[in-house]
Amino acid sequence: GDAAPQQSVFSQAGTYKLRFEVWRAALSEGAAPAKVASEDYSLEATAGELHSIQIEEMELNENDMRIGHMITAITLRLCDKAGNAIKVDSSKVHVEVAAALFTEKGAPRTDGAADGCVLAWDPKNGKGCIRADGDNLRLEDIFIVSGPAAKWRIRFSVTLGDKTVSKNGTIEIRHGEPASFSLIQRPSEGEGAAAPQGPLEFTNLQSLPTLEWEVKDVCDNVCTNLD
């Protein structure tokens, strides 16, 4: 923290050596003072109050970024005002994870509930887990429940003691597993001609035209790059 009167402040967490020296004042004018004694002490300076969060790593693969899959792990570092990492017991910190559609800088931010961006992560109720990982916190098994296939903004809010800080990250969410499909009926003749309605009718020995199917997941996202 900031130095108060008669106090000292450490700029960096670590082990410091403090030396106390006792000097005898000069006995006469022009004489030099004499050191009587000195003593050394070691002091361990720990990080200060929670000030910011850094997203150290997002462990993602192709499946992690899909509706209905887990984000394997996201690593956060808690820092004090000087940037020192704060080591904490994972049971003594409260973390919330929320999502909304990504918006460009300066544009109004959207609401995650209205966007339909839903994540499931609640370690206290058995959904995912949080654990200490060296100087960091590791959030594991964040489930992507539902939402549009688009770029999402994920907000991490961390409370330690009476301090709460937040940090945003972005992730590109892809469609989930195919859940439904429908036939795309193209216009039969001429540009602008209406697509045929009702059952497709063919005569004997007539070749079937190319059939196109639109495949969607449970959130109505169009599935692309299907094998």
Side-chain angles (χ1 to χ4, degrees), residues 145-183:
V145 179
S146 61
K151 183 181 286 188
W152 288 17
R153 182 184 75 248
I154 302 181
R155 185 175 184 83
F156 304 95
S157 296
V158 177
T159 300
L160 181 61
D162 59 354
K163 296 284 186 177
T164 299
V165 295
S166 299
K167 178 75 173 180
N168 292 330
T170 58
I171 182 173
E172 190 76 32
I173 299 296
R174 298 176 59 244
H175 61 77
E177 301 293 340
S180 64
F181 61 92
S182 58
L183 177 65

Side-chain angles (χ1 to χ4, degrees), residues 10 12-18 41-46:
F10 295 95
Q12 183 176 339
T15 303
Y16 290 83
K17 182 178 73 173
L18 300 183
Y41 289 90
S42 293
L43 175 67
E44 184 71 25
T46 59

